[in-house]
């Protein structure tokens, strides 16, 4: 079943009499238990695309559907859908500095109107699954980069969203921590059937995905791992 | 605070953050960005509340002394300076049927001069019946010496005694220029010597500077009149004081046009109204101080919004509505503001008590009628101060928060 789709998305930035056409005709469909990677050169618009799909940013033309329903970031029920259907992991973790790991993870559930005790129970459960049970009462500045990114991942997962969007979740991590996070993602995808769309520069990891797209000239192109085993894109 | 909470019921998210703020005040409420806001509120609310406490105290002292040392209703003859004794007795009989009247005291009062030999001061002679069985209604103001005045004795005002350099046991000359007996030598004045037996100190400067209280027969002799009175001084039970003019009208129509009844309000109501108006004027002016302090609130809220751009973006990303995000910041700053206002009121109370207790500044009695500063901390005033300050602070919190509505998640995330 389809959980997220974007059709013919286009977006341009108008920046002091200079126009940048970032997306022209980007189309992507994500089904349940898909693990999709998006690669592309720096500045080609990967983050922009992910923000549009995550209802964080507006677009000029096209359509975004969440569980078959058309929606955009400016609609009144966008906050509710961001809360319950979409989990977002930023490149820079963006945890709330004044809240502990556990409280950060519990936030989406509390926003949904759940009591904090129930939210904490779920948060503790998730953190221990991600190997952070002894870190739950630490503040973000007392956690390593990899730990912070896993807390972000836990926060994206707590409301069991239809889809998790992650923008270079391992971009700032060393290979060891990066591998930790990827393992987590693969495990969640395998065991829970959790759908992911992940932007990454890491072609080796991208190969682990069920589908990989390359974003170039504002369009998404499917990469066939078998015909292009190196992951190098020849345009 | 009330304003904020009445607008919507706290959501789970707001409850969650409220608990965080209260449980970890050091991390959330005692931030550097709040220092100027808090000191501004404490200072301005402190000054506002001290000003109001002192003005309230002034108003109350003035009213107390006006009602305590003057007749509530005074009856005078419409055609002559004096009543005869018989006439007075008749009137007193008629007044018996008014239960509102606590006491009727016949008195003679007249402008005279007092001298210590080389200095002369204008004074007012006030004679009462001090014989046993009759009461002197102002004895509470005789702060030193005897409450009874015999023939040849007088109680004089504190400042009159000071100006003439006299004290208890000394004697003064009182004379009265008689215009009916002008001779070739000039004005003939009748003169009498009094021994000072007490000091009168009501706090009402004009009386303390001029009062000479003596017996009726001394006054009759000095003024050269037959036994008679210049007025009847009526004092009312406390619950009827405010409606003295109504009672005065009733008595007036009862006694006929030969008698004039003056309620206290004829002389003092205007003054008291003026003071009350000045008090609220001071309140309004000092409220502007709180408004100025509100600028610090606006800048504190703006700083917080800038500080927390990422947090705001994250909360929005996680599905919090703009209203909730605004609510969280309003709660945080509102809590700080709430404690700052309370602290300001406590500071103001301390300040006004300090002014009351200090010794180096006294009120000028000839300007302000009374000469001592007292502070009155009235619950109503404190409530009004709190309400006004809270509304001003709430507006100054709400105003800059409006920009959160316009902030798009991406704009917040981009300029980190
Ligand atoms: N607010 C903006 N105003 C103008 N141009 C913008 C704005 N945001 C992004 N851009 C431009 O749009 C293009 C795409 O940006 P985007 O962040 O999506 O790239 P990206 O593919 O994620 O790059 P990276 O791999 O380096 O993260 C870039 O050229 C960027 O300069
Ligand atoms: Mg990017």
């Amino acid at each position: 079943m389809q959980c997220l789709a974007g059709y013919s998305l286009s977006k341009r930035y108008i920046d002091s009499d200079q126009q940048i056409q970032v997306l022209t005709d980007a189309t992507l469909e994500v089904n349940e238990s898909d693990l999709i990677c998006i690669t592309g050169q720096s500045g080609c618009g990967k983050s922009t695309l992910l923000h549009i799909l995550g209802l964080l940013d507006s677009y000029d033309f096209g359509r975004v559907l969440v569980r078959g329903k058309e929606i955009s970031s400016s609609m009144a029920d966008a906050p509710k859908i961001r809360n319950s259907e979409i989990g977002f992991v930023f490149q820079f973790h963006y945890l709330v500095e004044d809240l502990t790991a556990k409280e950060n993870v519990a936030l989406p559930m509390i926003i949904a109107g759940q009591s904090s005790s129930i939210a904490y129970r779920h948060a503790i459960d998730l953190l221990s699954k991600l190997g952070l049970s002894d870190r739950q009462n630490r503040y973000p500045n007392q956690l390593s980069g990899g730990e912070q990114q896993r807390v972000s991942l836990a926060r994206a997962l707590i409301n069991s969203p239809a889809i998790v969007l992650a923008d270079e979740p391992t971009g700032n991590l060393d290979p060891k921590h990066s591998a930790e996070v990827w393992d987590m993602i693969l495990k969640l995808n395998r065991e829970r059937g959790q759908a992911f769309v992940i932007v990454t520069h890491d072609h080796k990891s991208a190969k682990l995905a069920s589908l990989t797209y390359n974003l170039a000239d504002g369009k998404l192109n499917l990469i066939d791992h078998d015909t292009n085993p190196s992951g190098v894109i020849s345009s | 605070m009330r304003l904020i909470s009445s607008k919507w019921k706290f959501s789970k998210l707001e409850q969650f953050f409220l608990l965080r703020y209260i449980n970890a005040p050091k991390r959330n409420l005692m931030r550097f960005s709040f220092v100027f806001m808090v000191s501004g509120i404490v200072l301005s609310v402190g000054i506002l509340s001290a000003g109001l406490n002192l003005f309230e105290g002034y108003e109350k002292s003035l009213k107390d002394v006006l009602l305590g040392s003057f007749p509530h209703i005074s009856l005078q003859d419409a055609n002559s300076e004096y009543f005869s004794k018989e006439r007075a007795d008749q009137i007193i009989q008629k007044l018996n049927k008014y239960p509102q009247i606590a006491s009727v005291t016949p008195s003679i009062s007249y402008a005279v001069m007092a001298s210590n030999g080389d200095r002369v001061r204008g004074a007012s002679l006030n004679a009462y019946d001090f014989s046993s069985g009759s009461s002197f209604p102002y004895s509470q103001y005789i702060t030193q010496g005897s409450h009874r005045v015999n023939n040849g004795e007088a109680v004089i005002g504190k400042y009159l005694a000071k100006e003439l350099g006299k004290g208890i046991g000394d004697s003064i000359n009182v004379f009265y220029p008689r215009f009916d007996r002008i001779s070739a030598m000039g004005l003939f004045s009748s003169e009498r010597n009094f021994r000072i037996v007490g000091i009168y100190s009501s706090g009402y400067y004009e009386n303390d500077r001029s009062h000479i209280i003596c017996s009726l027969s001394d006054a009759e002799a000095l003024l050269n009149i037959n036994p008679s009175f210049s007025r009847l001084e009526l004092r009312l039970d406390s619950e009827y004081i405010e409606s003295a003019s109504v009672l005065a009208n009733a008595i007036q129509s009862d006694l006929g046009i030969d008698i004039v009844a003056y309620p206290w309000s004829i002389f003092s109501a205007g003054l008291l109204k003026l003071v009350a108006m000045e008090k609220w004027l001071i309140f309004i002016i000092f409220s502007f101080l709180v408004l100025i302090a509100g600028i610090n609130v606006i800048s504190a809220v703006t700083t917080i919004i800038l500080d927390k751009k990422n947090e705001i973006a994250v909360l929005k990303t996680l599905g919090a509505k703009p209203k909730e995000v605004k609510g969280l910041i309003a709660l945080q700053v509102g809590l700080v503001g709430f404690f700052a206002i309370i602290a300001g009121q406590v500071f103001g109370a301390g300040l006004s008590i300090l002014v009351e207790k200090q010794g180096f500044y006294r009120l000028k009695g000839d300007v302000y009628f009374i000469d001592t500063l007292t502070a009155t901390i009235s619950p109503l005033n404190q409530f009004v101060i709190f309400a006004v300050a809270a509304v001003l602070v709430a507006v100054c919190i709400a105003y800059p928060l409006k920009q959160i509505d316009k902030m798009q998640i991406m704009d917040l995330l981009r300029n980190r």
Side-chain angles (χ1 to χ4, degrees), chain B residues 112-125 152-157 160-175 191-199 209-214 218 222:
Chain B
V112 293
M113 315 268 242
S115 125
N116 64 352
D118 45 43
R119 251 175 293 163
V120 180
R121 290 285 179 272
S124 93
L125 190 74
E153 295 176 347
V155 168
I156 72 168
L160 184 61
K162 211 169 168 185
E163 283 177 26
L164 295 177
K166 298 287 186 182
I168 291 177
D170 298 339
S171 67
I172 53 162
N173 281 326
V174 175
F175 48 95
E191 187 173 336
R192 217 169 166 78
N193 190 268
F194 289 99
R195 199 167 63 82
I196 302 170
V197 294
I199 298 294
R209 205 205 51 74
S210 68
H211 257 37
I212 298 174
I213 298 165
C214 67
D218 277 340
L222 181 71

Side-chain angles (χ1 to χ4, degrees), chain B residues 195-207:
Chain B
R195 199 167 63 82
I196 302 170
V197 294
I199 298 294
Y200 173 91
S201 167
S202 64
Y204 191 73
Y205 180 78
E206 191 46 41
N207 285 358

Side-chain angles (χ1 to χ4, degrees), chain B residues 330-352:
Chain B
L331 265 178
Q332 186 177 17
V333 186
L335 270 178
V336 175
F338 172 81
F339 289 119
I341 292 172
I342 300 282
Q345 288 181 288
V346 172
F347 173 62
L351 205 65
S352 49

Side-chain angles (χ1 to χ4, degrees), chain A residues 157-195:
Chain A
L157 291 165
I158 192 165
N159 278 347
S160 310
I163 183 145
V164 172
L165 305 171
D167 191 359
E168 301 189 40
T170 59
N172 290 335
L173 303 180
D174 61 37
K176 180 174 171 285
H177 286 119
S178 167
E180 268 175 31
V181 173
W182 271 108
D183 285 348
M184 237 35 262
I185 289 171
L186 288 169
K187 198 170 142 212
L188 287 161
N189 178 248
R190 236 182 298 116
E191 292 176 3
R192 291 186 174 197
Q194 176 69 56

Side-chain angles (χ1 to χ4, degrees), chain B residues 63-137:
Chain B
K63 190 166 185 181
D64 282 352
V65 70
L66 284 173
L67 293 178
S69 61
F70 286 89
H72 298 149
I73 297 175
S74 95
L75 301 182
Q76 288 172 11
D77 195 299
N79 313 309
S80 137
E81 268 184 296
Y82 298 105
F83 300 113
S84 70
K85 219 169 163 41
E86 297 70 43
R87 184 96 188 284
D89 286 338
Q90 278 171 15
I91 295 171
I92 293 172
Q93 279 295 310
K94 282 193 182 170
L95 292 177
N96 269 339
K97 68 169 181 229
Y98 294 97
Q100 300 95 317
I101 299 173
S103 69
V104 181
T105 313
S107 70
I108 298 171
S109 93
Y110 214 88
V112 293
M113 315 268 242
S115 125
N116 64 352
D118 45 43
R119 251 175 293 163
V120 180
R121 290 285 179 272
S124 93
L125 190 74
N126 295 271
Y128 296 91
D129 181 4
F130 284 99
S131 63
S132 55
S134 53
S135 68
F136 172 61

Side-chain angles (χ1 to χ4, degrees), chain A residues 13 15 20 22 41-48 91 168 201, chain B residues 414:
Chain A
Y13 290 110
D15 201 26
I20 309 169
V22 183
Q41 285 178 338
S42 182
C44 69
K46 304 181 296 295
S47 296
T48 305
Q91 180 169 3
E168 301 189 40
H201 281 297
Chain B
R414 276 235 166 71

